[in-house]
Amino acid sequence: MNRDEIWKRVREHRNPWDMIVIGGGATGVGVAIDGASRGYDVLLLEQSDFGKGTSSRSTKLAHGGVRYLEQGNLSLVMEALKERGLLLQNAPHLVHDLAFVVPNYEWWEAPFYGIGLKLYQLLAGKYGFGKSRLLSREETLERLPTIKTEGLRGGAIYYDGQFDDSRLLTHMAITAFEQGAALLNYFEVTGLAKDSQGFVDGVIARDAETGEELRAWGKVVVNATGAFADRLRRAADPSVAPMIAPSQGIHLVFKSDFLPANSAIMVPHTSDGRVLFAIPWHDHVMVGTTDTPVSTSTLEPVALDSEVEFILSTAAQYLTRSPTRADVLSVFAGIRPLVRAEGVANTAALSRDHVIHIDSSGLMTVCGGKWTTYRRMAEDCVDQAATLAQLPERPCLTRDLKIHGFQSSSEDLGPLAVYGSDAAEIGKLIADNPALGETLHPDLPYLKAQVIWAVRHEMARTIEDVLARRTRALFLNARAALAMAPAAADLMAPEMKWDAVATQKQLAAFREVAANYVLHT
Ligand SMILES: Cc1cc2nc3c(=O)[nH]c(=O)nc-3n(C[C@H](O)[C@H](O)[C@H](O)COP(=O)(O)OP(=O)(O)OC[C@H]3O[C@@H](n4cnc5c(N)ncnc54)[C@H](O)[C@@H]3O)c2cc1C
């Protein structure tokens, strides 16, 4: 997946594309995979890096959503549980099952959560993971050695999926490319073009690297810009009513000794009525999330102090050692592109169903939903897009489509497991140049070879792309990521043909972004 080659292909493309997809998050890339695998001619444009938006900032759970059981939305839960199963089937190198324990401190919690979680397991049917059951106090402590013991009666265990969101997205982008789609990152759609009857018939976009403009024609234009969807809809028709109710969620990341376990903690009811997770992730512990309505969507949202304090205080209620601001290795925020509902003010109560909406301008918007259901969202979207664009009807193939790097057992690849079959190619880079086998920082497992690989094969264009999304350094330990940036820059400079000035500019840009992930005491 080479950006220069794809750009050349796009520049030389004379006919209208069957579909132009705007937005390179889970939703847009999912649509590109689906459309291209059906044989449609697909162009996807992302204004920043793939996954720069919400899709790298999730809780990283492939889940049905235990919480939605309580809302009584069983069809949503069942659909997501099926998609969870398909994700594991098609991307076993990136998705794995994880045990979640709901600790019980009140007498009623064991029967209440026991029954609910059994139902959750049953709803998964043949796509089930592990069996839900009640745990004794001792079993709970075995699974969660650092859980608060005072008043602890036992727990309830259930299973869900865990994945590395931006790694999965990278592999999905490569899958879309392998299926024939043209994908460009750092390509902002600055305007929508219309035909003589006022229907959207393409886009005007700008290469953020060179400023070069692109006018591309599309038989249908799909707006998959997540929390930014209304901005684009208004560009096509300033009179449209907004669809999105943006809601911010944050996570704090700690050293693994706060929860030295293979199981996660799930707190079903925090003081603000939400679910809170403490999850082992890449040898760290990630705790989140909040649900704070926000008025505007930005690409680099910043955690509010109130959100940080809420997570710290809620985690302190459950962990033997209370985490403090000084313990936070990284803080990251993301914005849920929730679909508005009449009369619902609390974003936590808004449905996680997805919506496909066609404005009178012909612009198609796909939004809402969840990471877990991206494939289903894409299937529905491409079905409708094909009808709107009068394309020949073709069946969806993604239910059994393997995601790039597919490898059924990759655990023995250690930190390179997330690359699946590509890990062997990274190994070859190291065999050719053993210095590339060195780590970039003593606190993180990332190898120099991963930087080279990201630039050559995963369309990483900036230091941030490499340290935030191709590797997860910035999300795991912001100060370590800052410390390793110069070494990453040295490796990238010859690959990207950066001179000294460009390299310094890159470093300064990374420092500015990384400052948002460092929590000051
Ligand atoms: C805190 C949090 C936790 C979550 N946890 C989970 C979870 O555990 N499991 C789960 O299933 N779901 C989870 N979700 C939901 C999930 O992350 C989102 O539903 C999903 O990532 C949305 O993807 P998207 O592609 O629609 O949006 P995005 O990932 O935001 O992608 C939209 C893209 O459009 C681009 N764009 C915008 N405007 C333009 C333009 N003019 N030109 C070109 N590109 C443009 C943006 O740069 C962006 O990259 C969570 C969400 C949040 C916020």
Side-chain angles (χ1 to χ4, degrees):
M1 202 170 57
N2 177 291
R3 191 177 185 274
D4 293 342
E5 285 168 19
I6 297 175
W7 192 185
K8 184 168 178 289
R9 182 180 144 205
V10 171
R11 222 185 258 119
E12 290 168 0
H13 197 278
R14 292 282 157 250
N15 301 322
W17 297 85
D18 286 340
M19 282 173 205
I20 298 178
V21 184
I22 311 171
T27 308
V29 175
V31 172
I33 296 177
D34 189 305
S37 59
R38 294 192 206 198
Y40 300 134
D41 196 15
V42 180
L43 169 66
L44 180 146
L45 300 171
E46 162 57 49
Q47 65 179 351
S48 174
D49 184 29
F50 305 121
K52 167 77 178 180
T54 308
S55 296
S56 59
R57 303 160 183 276
S58 76
T59 313
K60 299 134 193 22
L61 299 181
H63 64 164
V66 174
R67 192 161 70 86
Y68 314 125
L69 273 185
E70 276 189 74
Q71 292 176 354
N73 197 343
L74 294 198
S75 60
L76 173 71
V77 176
M78 278 181 83
E79 177 181 285
L81 287 172
K82 179 177 170 190
E83 291 303 322
R84 180 190 76 168
L86 293 178
L87 255 174
L88 180 67
Q89 170 197 295
N90 297 328
H93 51 310
L94 287 154
V95 184
H96 61 92
D97 60 348
L98 181 66
F100 288 76
V101 177
V102 181
N104 298 336
Y105 291 90
E106 304 287 344
W107 67 268
W108 56 268
E109 287 177 318
F112 183 76
Y113 294 121
I115 292 168
L117 294 171
K118 201 72 202 167
L119 174 64
Y120 188 67
Q121 175 205 321
L122 292 175
L123 287 176
K126 67 173 180 172
Y127 297 101
F129 279 27
K131 283 205 170 103
S132 309
R133 66 181 181 92
L134 293 177
L135 299 178
S136 66
R137 187 177 193 273
E138 289 65 40
E139 286 175 309
T140 305
L141 282 169
E142 231 168 77
R143 293 226 164 232
L144 308 173
T146 50
I147 192 85
K148 273 235 164 103
T149 51
E150 203 185 321
L152 182 73
R153 301 170 76 95
I157 189 168
Y158 72 98
Y159 292 83
D160 247 328
Q162 183 183 37
F163 66 109
D164 180 331
D165 49 11
S166 65
R167 283 293 330 157
L168 176 59
L169 189 69
T170 301
H171 288 244
M172 282 166 51
I174 301 173
T175 307
F177 170 73
E178 288 170 346
Q179 293 296 323
L183 299 93
L184 288 170
N185 54 4
Y186 293 98
F187 236 102
E188 184 188 6
V189 170
T190 52
L192 293 161
K194 291 185 181 169
D195 65 14
S196 55
Q197 288 157 25
F199 284 107
V200 170
D201 71 352
V203 299
I204 295 132
R206 196 171 45 87
D207 183 346
E209 294 186 353
T210 62
E212 199 177 333
E213 277 230 339
L214 166 74
R215 162 69 165 103
W217 280 262
K219 294 177 190 162
V220 57
V221 176
V222 176
N223 171 13
T225 55
F228 300 90
D230 285 331
R231 202 173 291 173
L232 217 56
R233 290 178 61 236
R234 274 197 299 270
D237 178 357
S239 69
V240 294
M243 286 176 69
I244 301 289
S247 153
Q248 175 159 300
I250 74 150
H251 292 87
L252 304 180
V253 179
F254 302 95
K255 276 190 181 161
S256 63
D257 51 13
F258 279 94
L259 184 63
N262 293 326
S263 303
I265 303 176
M266 197 275 235
V267 178
H269 280 284
T270 58
S271 58
D272 75 345
R274 276 199 51 82
V275 167
L276 191 101
F277 293 102
I279 306 179
W281 186 56
H282 290 324
D283 282 329
H284 290 69
V285 185
M286 188 174 72
V287 185
T289 172
T290 51
D291 206 321
T292 315
V294 287
S295 51
T296 47
S297 303
T298 52
L299 260 187
E300 198 52 71
V302 177
L304 304 174
D305 265 345
S306 56
E307 294 180 294
V308 172
E309 292 311 321
F310 172 76
I311 290 189
L312 287 175
S313 62
T314 310
Q317 288 170 27
Y318 291 90
L319 297 173
T320 41
R321 195 173 126 219
S322 301
T324 66
R325 291 176 75 94
D327 297 311
V328 175
L329 299 178
S330 178
V331 50
F332 60 92
I335 300 184
R336 294 180 192 82
L338 300 179
V339 180
R340 277 168 189 262
E342 216 43 60
V344 181
N346 174 7
T347 48
L350 280 175
S351 167
R352 267 52 175 173
D353 276 325
H354 64 270
V355 167
I356 294 161
H357 177 88
I358 304 170
D359 281 312
S360 53
S361 63
L363 178 69
M364 178 176 274
T365 297
V366 51
C367 61
K370 304 194 291 178
W371 229 121
T372 311
T373 52
Y374 86 85
R375 193 210 62 82
R376 183 56 204 266
M377 292 170 74
E379 179 177 349
D380 290 350
C381 176
V382 173
D383 282 349
Q384 294 201 29
T387 306
L388 188 66
Q390 298 182 23
L391 300 172
E393 220 172 281
R394 291 178 189 147
C396 171
L397 300 175
T398 53
R399 251 161 270 169
D400 299 310
L401 186 74
K402 293 184 168 64
I403 298 297
H404 175 86
F406 176 96
Q407 187 158 311
S408 48
S409 58
S410 55
E411 301 85 48
D412 54 338
L413 298 172
L416 294 184
V418 286
Y419 291 86
S421 58
D422 283 347
E425 299 299 316
I426 298 176
K428 280 185 201 158
L429 283 179
I430 298 170
D432 289 347
N433 179 0
L436 294 179
E438 292 164 11
T439 50
L440 287 156
H441 191 280
D443 292 346
L444 292 169
Y446 299 119
L447 307 176
K448 291 183 174 173
Q450 290 173 258
V451 179
I452 303 291
W453 182 260
V455 174
R456 288 190 193 162
H457 301 286
E458 297 181 339
M459 236 201 238
R461 309 295 296 174
T462 68
I463 297 173
E464 184 199 330
D465 298 349
V466 171
L467 297 185
R469 289 170 293 275
R470 304 306 184 280
T471 70
R472 305 315 304 271
L474 184 61
F475 283 73
L476 291 169
N477 187 333
R479 287 189 175 87
L482 278 161
M484 66 210 254
D490 286 347
L491 289 158
M492 288 182 79
E495 298 284 325
M496 297 294 298
K497 306 199 171 39
W498 293 336
D499 59 18
V501 176
T503 307
Q504 284 313 312
K505 242 172 125 178
Q506 275 283 330
L507 278 167
F510 179 69
R511 281 187 203 115
E512 199 181 321
V513 169
N516 291 326
Y517 295 70
V518 175
L519 193 64
H520 296 284
T521 48

